[in-house]
Amino acid sequence: MSISAENLVWSVGKTNIVNGVTLAAQPGKVLGLLGPNGSGKSSLLRLLSGLRRPASGRVLLEGRNIQSIGRRALARRMALVEQHATTEANVRVRDVVSLGRIPHRSPFSGWTVQDQAAVDAALDRVGMLDRTDRYWHSLSGGERQRVHLARALAQAPRELLLDEPTNHLDIQHQMALLKLVGELSLTTIVALHDINHAAMFCDQLMVLDGGKLVAQGGPEEVLSEALMREVFCVEARIESSPHHGRPHIHYLV
Ligand SMILES: Nc1ncnc2c1ncn2[C@@H]1O[C@H](COP(=O)(O)OP(=O)(O)O)[C@@H](O)[C@H]1O
Ligand SMILES: [Mg+2]
């Protein structure tokens, strides 16, 4: 087991934003996190990353409470790409990706060949190796998103948490990014907006509604017309796609 969580609660005032979530991500697989806007996806990912402390419940990494793992040690194995990740405008692509190496470096060692190799490999993976000298402010939204993913990959994590990583991408780059994420063989938890994309690329899905986990399992088990109606408030028909064999949702008007 890699990341798991037991009965996680996170509240603001008297409202439970994440309300008793228990989950277990399968090692090396992609777990898709779905739910309407405001259902608690980003809040849950922050709890799982250790960035936020739960009011109750716990997050476990290989069975160990992440509260007992130091920040640096945690950052050496787990990376989070936030939904609204920002970066100073006046830095170059390579500087942003180099940040991923910080948890691996000691105060005494300089920049090593291994650090450089990790940065180059990460940039290559996201198709940005030819733009390492570009300034952040000159990048498109999609390029920025790919650079943030490269920063996370340079961290050489075993667990990768991604919050709506395809938001600013055109369809070609959405497909490429999701395919890449599937090929990484990292334990990945990814919040996604597009349910059809989640069904195509994720091994398992979880659905949040009002901070509660209302469904989890394989895409075929989780996605149903009743769930689309009750959780997402849309009428839909679901068929098994003749092209990729996964469920495909047709939205009705
Ligand atoms: N720091 C915060 N303070 C107050 N409310 C918050 C905070 N973070 C999130 N919320 C609220 O919690 C709910 C869930 O937010 P979020 O986790 O961002 O959902 P999602 O990512 O599914 O859209 C929303 O209603 C949001 O307004
Ligand atoms: Mg969010």
Side-chain angles (χ1 to χ4, degrees), residues 10-13 15-18 33-46 52 83-84 163-164 191 193 208 211:
W10 183 70
S11 6
V12 175
T15 312
N16 287 344
I17 308 280
V18 174
L33 180 56
L34 298 173
N37 289 338
S39 56
K41 302 180 295 296
S42 297
S43 304
L44 176 59
L45 288 175
R46 277 189 219 125
R52 286 241 169 91
Q83 187 174 358
H84 302 292
D163 198 351
E164 302 202 16
H193 210 68
L208 277 179

Side-chain angles (χ1 to χ4, degrees), residues 158-176:
R158 275 184 275 173
E159 286 85 18
L160 182 61
L161 306 177
L162 302 172
D163 198 351
E164 302 202 16
T166 55
N167 262 4
H168 302 292
L169 304 182
D170 60 39
I171 188 67
Q172 179 199 352
H173 289 108
Q174 289 185 40
M175 292 287 152

Side-chain angles (χ1 to χ4, degrees), residues 84-99:
H84 302 292
T86 52
T87 298
E88 267 183 72
N90 209 16
V91 291
R92 293 178 195 267
V93 165
R94 64 172 130 80
D95 303 321
V96 178
V97 180
S98 300
L99 294 175

Side-chain angles (χ1 to χ4, degrees), residues 86-189:
T86 52
T87 298
E88 267 183 72
N90 209 16
V91 291
R92 293 178 195 267
V93 165
R94 64 172 130 80
D95 303 321
V96 178
V97 180
S98 300
L99 294 175
R101 298 305 301 165
I102 290 175
H104 295 278
R105 298 173 62 200
S106 86
F108 311 107
S109 70
W111 186 250
T112 65
V113 176
Q114 287 88 342
D115 289 324
Q116 192 56 49
V119 167
D120 289 347
L123 280 163
D124 194 25
R125 277 244 80 149
V126 303
M128 290 290 291
L129 197 51
D130 57 344
R131 275 156 279 185
T132 55
D133 287 331
R134 287 274 296 278
Y135 278 102
W136 183 257
H137 64 73
S138 76
L139 301 177
S140 70
E143 287 170 331
R144 290 177 184 189
Q145 215 128 6
R146 283 148 70 195
V147 172
H148 276 302
L149 178 62
R151 194 261 304 144
L153 295 181
Q155 226 171 304
R158 275 184 275 173
E159 286 85 18
L160 182 61
L161 306 177
L162 302 172
D163 198 351
E164 302 202 16
T166 55
N167 262 4
H168 302 292
L169 304 182
D170 60 39
I171 188 67
Q172 179 199 352
H173 289 108
Q174 289 185 40
M175 292 287 152
L177 186 134
L178 291 171
K179 189 162 171 281
L180 162 65
V181 166
E183 288 165 358
L184 291 172
S185 300
L186 301 174
T187 305
T188 303
I189 303 182

